[in-house]
Structure formats: C-alpha cells, structure tokens
Amino acid sequence: MSEPLLEITGLTRRYRLPGGSSLLAVDNVSFTLARGEVLGLVGESGSGKSTLGRMVLGLEEKSAGEVRFRGETLPRRYRRADFQRYARSMQMVFQDPYATLNPRLTIGESLAEPLRLQGWRGDPAPRVREWLERVGLAASMAGRYPHEFSGGQRQRIGIARALITEPEMLVCDEPTSALDVSVQAQVINLLADLRREMGLAMLFIAHDLAVVRYLADRVAVMKSGQLLEVAPTEQLFTAPSHPFTRHLLAVRPRPEPGRRRTD
Amino acid sequence: MSLHEPLLSIEALHVHIRTAAGIVQPVRGIDLQLEAGETLAIVGESGCGKSMTALAVMGLLPVGGSVAAGAVRLSGYRLDNLTESGWREVRGRRIGMVFQNPMSAFNPTMRIGEQIAESLVHHRHLDWDHAHRRAVALLDRMRIPDAATRAQQYPFQFSGGMLQRAMIAMALACGPELLIADEPTTALDVSVQVGLLELLRELQTETGLAILLITHDLAIVAEIAQRVAVMYAGQIVEQAPVDALFAQPAHPYTAGLLQSLPERHEGAGPLSAIAGTPPDLLQPPAGCAFYDRCPAALRLCATAAVPRVEISATQRALCWLRHPAVVGSGAVPPLAEQQGSES
C-alpha cells in the first residue's frame, strides 16, 4: 500500500492579533508520513513546529488546509467525540510529563484512564502492569504517585500512557529536552525499541539535531511557520539544500572542544 | 600564606540542607580553583550538587542550607562566613551572576535601564544620570540594538535572548572579577546560544573576567570552557582541561556521559546509556558513589574511601580504577574496553 498514514496539505494556523493584524503560526505546510516512519520536525522556538503537532492531534483548530489520517479527513475543529474517536490511533508525548499527570492519581490510575476513555471493558490492571514493564518500570510501581518518580521515569510513564491504547502514530514534542544526557539516551532507546516492535509512526518535534539524526528517517525544517525543506535524514545532514538548514547545522554547539579553534 | 592566591578557591566544601526527611548532603567535600581570565565549567546531571556549589559561592543557599565545612575564598578573602551585609558588598560588585531564567532576575515593574543603573548607584556611588548613561552603554556593548530606547522598556518587552544579554549587562555593570553563570543558555535557541557564548568569550578577552559556568550541556562546555570539573553525587569525580576530558576521560562516569551523547553514536545499535540512578544524598554511600552503575567496579570500590588520583599535572580523578596500586595489579582493563559493552 502506498497510501501514507498521514497526509498534510496546505495546513495553516492564523492567530488574530489585537488591532486587526494576524500572525501566521503555521503557513501553508504540506508533507506526508508513511506507516512506521519517523519524521523529525526541527526549527527554533516560534517556528510553528509545536502548533503543527497540536493541529494534527486536534488540540488546536486548523485555520486552513487539511489533515488526512488513513485516508480520512480529520475535523477542522474537534468536538468531544472526535477526541475519543481519534485518540485511540494517535497520541502525544510531551516535554514535561509531570505537567500532564494528575498528581492525585496513582500511576496505575493515570495509565488506566486512556483505556477507560476508549471504552475498555474489564480490568485494566493487567494491561497497566504490562505497559509499566514494557517501558522499563516495575509493575509494582502502579500504586505510586507522580512525585515519587524521577524525570526519566516520569517520561517513561508518559510514553506508557501514550502507547497503552496501541496507537499507530505518536506526536512527540521535545520528549527528551528536559532530561539529562544519560537519561535522554535511555528514553530515546525506549522510543526506538517501541517503534520497531509496534511499527509506530512518529512526528518527532525537537530542537536537538543530534537526537533527531539518531531517530528520524526524514527531517523537516521549519522557520517562521513555513516548511523550508524535507529530506532523508543523512541527506539533510550531509547535503542540506536550504541556506537556513545549512546555517542551523553550522552554528549548533557540538561536544567537540578542538573544533572552535579551527573556525 | 602561599605566594599565589587563585581568584576563587573552594576548599573541602561541604553543604548540608536540613529537610523534613533529614539532612541532605548535596556537596560533599569539593576542591576547586579558578584563575583570573579563566573559564571553568562544572558539569553534571540534575541533583549532582553543581548548582548548590554555585549558590554556596554566592552566599545564596536556600533556607535550611548551610556550609557545613570547608572554605570559599575570593582572592584570599574568606566568603563563607560573611554576614548578609558583607555579602551585599561582594555580590554584584565582585561576583556577577547570571541564571537560566532571566525573567526571574529582573523586577517586572521596573525599566531595564533603571535596574542596571541601580547597581551602579548602589555599588559604585554614581549619580542616577551618569548610571543611566552607563547602563545604555552596557546594553549597547551586549549588542542590544537601539540600546537607549530598549533601556526605557520593561522586561516583558524583551525576547528571551535579548533579556539574557540584558542580564549579563546587569551582572557585569560593576566590573566584577568573577561571573557565575548557571545554565545561562539552556532556555535559548541554538543560534542565540552561540551568539551569547561568543559575547562572553569577547568580554573575557577584554576584561580578564573569570567565568564559573554551571551546566549539564557538554556541547556548551566544549564551546567555552578551558577546564572542566565533573560532579556526581556531590563530589568532583574528575577535573581536567577540556581537550583531555573529551579525548581521554579518566573517570568511568565521565566516559559514560560522553558515550551517551547521540553525537558520539556510531552504527545502527542503541545509544549507550548509563544504567541505574545516582545514590540518595540523605544517606551517601561509604565507598564510591558511582559503584552501583560502574561497568568496571571492583569489590573494594563499594566500601573503601575513594582516592583522588593524579592522572597528569592537570587531570585528576576520584577513582580506585586509576590508582597506581590497582592499575599495577592488572585487574582493570583500559576504560575504552569497559565502556564498549555498556548499553
């Protein structure tokens, strides 16, 4: 089948500003995502990459353009029932999982929530335990509360919560940028493993180019709401075609101390 | 008295914090020296004690926190036992400070120029008019376009990168000898980060400013530091010139950190990661704090006080594996081989 999992055409988000002017946060963006593919979405803050991810999930209204998922056009503006309907197949992993977990629910309760919303019948406990283990946590941790976990563990919980309904696509918005480098490596390895096991497609939003290079099949570069370039990862890093991509690659700090004296 | 006093000297510093659960020991006996004109980075992961070290040097430990032992000296002048009024003469005047979130460093209801001028009036006893002109000149020096107009604006009217530069202007207003920068670029876009680092380098060349940089970001360390101290569980586990540290890390933790960088990844396999978590600093372990996570730990590492080993004149590591007695016994393979299998 050559039909893409996700097909975005002319997607636009316009915010009206006081005084009658408007801001184009996302400006006429088009691309596709194949089943099981990881597309890295990079750009600086304010480039529109997060807004784009949120529009795909219906968390943000679409001003113009179209998002097709498995051939079906998604609503411009989600109603309650739409979230229920589509959340089963597309989920999000956030930068700060702590902000997305209810502090008064145990981890087990938080993980059971998406199942319940999907009309899961029966005891969610076995599935919750299974997913805690799949993300590298002990099943016995289900009774604990969010504050008892470290940043890396919370991100594992965030990933388990996103994947427990076994979606086909994940939107990850800076999932590792709040983590320390050794923990970041663990979380990226986990995402890579789950992707392989589940044939998961990912829209991977990040500003860290090294992380994107490791994980993504293709990379899209955004600036001021526009998509400047989409290319296979190695091509983008070795032969970027847009001047802004070349600039991003040239200026990024790199963990190579010898380099700065030669430039 | 030694003949030469380093600009900043931290000697056997211990910081304790009283909490409901007991006494936490975020800094456990660290020694550091910083010379004028030098940039030293303290690098480590969250909770390793790097920010507490910086706060202790600035006399800004949180409530319940105290210097339990050791000393902090600035050009030989003892800081750790200063009174609050003594601190006010040091902070801002001899030591400038820059934090991750510039919004929290500025008063949101005061114009930027006025806030910078205020420290000049207080510390340098300039009149307001003169201080204002200096503030504008400083903002201009930080490459803030149209500095005179900007000086009249409020913090919310500045972008993140510009506010960060305004904070540096404020930190440097009184010509301090030492700048302490705690994650100064973490919240900024890459191209803004690079501009800021270049600016710091320039200022350093011009003024001989010493910089103590606190960060978890090894790329930033590589860009700007001359020497690096790696902290883990409240201790400096390795100290080295930046080139040596990246090329030949002497401590297994440093090696593990470098290996977990995606930039260093080769081939198709998983990224290298350090398994496990740091110890609880309510009850620090008797032996090596990295013992549980170390791929090459020996039995003695668990219990015996860890020696500080001189690897070279400028590099030292807190590690039994590098101790001559252990190296001589042939019990330890080279570090590169130890790290190879870890994932």
Side-chain angles (χ1 to χ4, degrees):
Chain A
M1 280 297 286
S2 61
E3 186 197 52
L5 180 67
L6 182 77
E7 193 171 3
I8 288 173
T9 320
L11 192 60
T12 299
R13 178 65 171 128
R14 183 183 289 108
Y15 292 107
R16 292 194 199 296
L17 300 178
S21 62
S22 67
L23 172 82
L24 274 174
V26 175
D27 184 3
N28 194 20
V29 168
S30 306
F31 63 84
T32 61
L33 182 68
R35 285 168 203 275
E37 185 186 29
V38 177
L39 179 72
L41 194 53
V42 304
E44 306 210 307
S45 46
S47 62
K49 54 191 196 300
S50 291
T51 307
L52 179 64
R54 292 171 60 82
M55 278 197 285
V56 168
L57 289 170
L59 298 173
E60 185 95 40
E61 188 182 331
K62 306 161 185 72
S63 304
E66 193 181 54
V67 177
R68 287 164 73 84
F69 184 70
R70 294 189 299 212
E72 180 187 352
T73 300
L74 301 183
R76 167 167 297 202
R77 183 187 207 157
Y78 273 38
R79 293 172 199 288
R80 205 181 172 83
D82 293 323
F83 286 111
Q84 247 175 38
R85 178 157 174 218
Y86 298 110
R88 192 190 184 105
S89 18
M90 42 170 90
Q91 278 287 340
M92 183 147 185
V93 175
F94 297 89
Q95 175 175 352
D96 178 9
Y98 201 44
T100 68
L101 293 169
N102 185 336
R104 293 191 294 185
L105 294 186
T106 64
I107 292 310
E109 287 164 344
S110 275
L111 288 184
E113 222 176 17
L115 291 174
R116 198 166 45 73
L117 290 171
Q118 290 304 319
W120 180 271
R121 286 161 213 282
D123 184 10
R127 181 119 166 182
V128 166
R129 284 198 296 271
E130 176 202 330
W131 269 97
L132 280 172
E133 280 171 0
R134 278 187 88 165
V135 298
L137 297 170
S140 60
M141 289 174 168
R144 296 204 199 159
Y145 289 89
H147 74 267
E148 298 177 67
F149 293 87
S150 70
Q153 288 175 323
R154 278 182 214 138
Q155 195 53 287
R156 291 172 187 274
I157 295 164
I159 291 168
R161 193 165 187 256
L163 293 181
I164 199 162
T165 59
E166 308 204 331
E168 281 175 86
M169 187 181 88
L170 211 51
V171 175
C172 300
D173 194 353
E174 302 277 6
T176 64
S177 54
L179 303 177
D180 282 319
V181 56
S182 66
V183 182
Q184 168 181 286
Q186 296 169 5
V187 170
I188 290 170
N189 286 340
L190 174 66
L191 283 171
D193 288 347
L194 290 169
R195 174 218 176 172
R196 230 183 349 263
E197 290 164 20
M198 303 173 68
L200 202 60
M202 279 189 227
L203 197 55
F204 191 88
I205 301 167
H207 69 275
D208 186 329
L209 295 169
V211 168
V212 169
R213 185 176 198 169
Y214 177 73
L215 212 54
D217 302 307
R218 285 187 305 147
V219 182
V221 182
M222 284 188 75
K223 181 175 191 280
S224 312
Q226 295 180 323
L227 190 67
L228 302 181
E229 175 173 10
V230 190
T233 303
E234 275 321 295
Q235 186 186 320
L236 187 112
F237 277 86
T238 51
S241 65
H242 196 282
F244 180 73
T245 312
R246 285 201 286 275
H247 166 76
L248 268 189
L249 291 172
V251 301
R252 75 199 152 119
R254 269 178 279 180
E256 301 157 24
R259 198 177 60 97
R260 67 174 186 242
R261 262 146 269 163
T262 59
D263 61 17
Chain B
M1 276 294 274
S2 64
L3 287 173
H4 172 75
E5 285 285 0
L7 176 67
L8 177 70
S9 168
I10 300 176
E11 296 146 29
L13 180 71
H14 287 258
V15 173
H16 285 183
I17 298 177
R18 243 190 311 278
T19 69
I23 291 176
V24 181
Q25 302 176 37
V27 180
R28 303 188 295 136
I30 68 166
D31 290 282
L32 268 183
Q33 258 111 49
L34 179 61
E35 303 290 343
E38 191 183 31
T39 300
L40 171 71
I42 303 183
V43 46
E45 304 192 283
S46 8
C48 72
K50 59 189 191 300
S51 287
M52 283 299 160
T53 302
L55 292 173
V57 172
M58 298 182 290
L60 291 175
L61 286 172
V63 175
S66 62
V67 171
V72 179
R73 290 189 170 86
L74 190 67
S75 305
Y77 176 72
R78 189 92 183 251
L79 296 182
D80 53 277
N81 52 11
L82 284 180
T83 61
E84 194 44 44
S85 69
W87 269 118
R88 273 197 290 272
E89 290 312 302
V90 172
R91 264 188 245 128
R93 183 175 184 152
R94 301 193 61 194
I95 303 180
M97 299 171 286
V98 182
F99 301 100
Q100 179 176 348
N101 179 4
M103 231 15 170
S104 65
F106 284 101
N107 179 338
T109 66
M110 239 172 115
R111 296 172 202 276
I112 294 279
E114 206 178 333
Q115 300 192 48
I116 297 172
E118 194 179 39
S119 72
L120 288 161
V121 172
H122 174 80
H123 287 303
R124 294 283 178 234
H125 310 295
L126 300 186
D127 61 71
W128 274 99
D129 213 39
H130 191 178
H132 256 294
R133 283 199 300 276
R134 282 275 303 153
V136 172
L138 279 160
L139 289 171
D140 188 56
R141 179 66 196 80
M142 296 301 145
R143 299 192 201 128
I144 289 176
D146 198 7
T149 312
R150 286 293 186 173
Q152 297 300 316
Q153 292 183 336
Y154 293 91
F156 76 89
Q157 293 170 294
F158 277 54
S159 71
M162 214 183 281
L163 201 58
Q164 193 62 279
R165 277 179 284 165
M167 180 161 56
I168 296 176
M170 186 158 73
L172 299 182
C174 297
E177 300 129 273
L178 172 64
L179 180 71
I180 297 180
D182 192 349
E183 303 280 7
T185 64
T186 303
L188 303 174
D189 277 328
V190 168
S191 53
V192 183
Q193 282 185 3
V194 173
L196 200 75
L197 295 175
E198 277 169 5
L199 186 60
L200 284 176
R201 266 202 296 268
E202 260 179 55
L203 291 166
Q204 193 166 40
T205 319
E206 278 171 31
T207 64
L209 181 72
I211 301 176
L212 183 64
L213 175 74
I214 314 292
T215 185
H216 71 281
D217 188 332
L218 289 162
I220 300 297
V221 171
E223 289 284 337
I224 194 170
Q226 281 128 29
R227 277 195 306 130
V228 188
V230 180
M231 270 189 91
Y232 182 79
Q235 297 174 314
I236 293 175
V237 295
E238 177 164 4
Q239 211 179 131
V242 67
D243 291 318
L245 188 102
F246 280 80
Q248 283 157 331
H251 195 282
Y253 176 64
T254 315
L257 272 187
L258 291 170
Q259 297 236 330
S260 45
L261 290 168
E263 286 92 342
R264 293 219 169 180
H265 180 76
E266 282 169 14
L271 294 176
S272 169
I274 306 173
T277 50
D280 183 358
L281 293 180
L282 270 169
Q283 284 143 338
C288 175
F290 193 58
Y291 172 75
D292 288 342
R293 311 175 73 187
C294 182
L298 305 171
R299 203 174 303 155
L300 93 160
C301 301
T303 49
V306 190
R308 183 149 64 195
V309 182
E310 307 275 334
I311 310 294
S312 72
T314 52
Q315 184 168 21
R316 37 182 210 251
L318 199 67
C319 184
W320 272 114
L321 302 176
R322 306 306 300 258
H323 193 271
V326 174
V327 174
S329 74
V332 189
L335 210 49
E337 288 169 33
Q338 296 160 21
Q339 292 295 329
S341 57
E342 180 61 13
S343 72

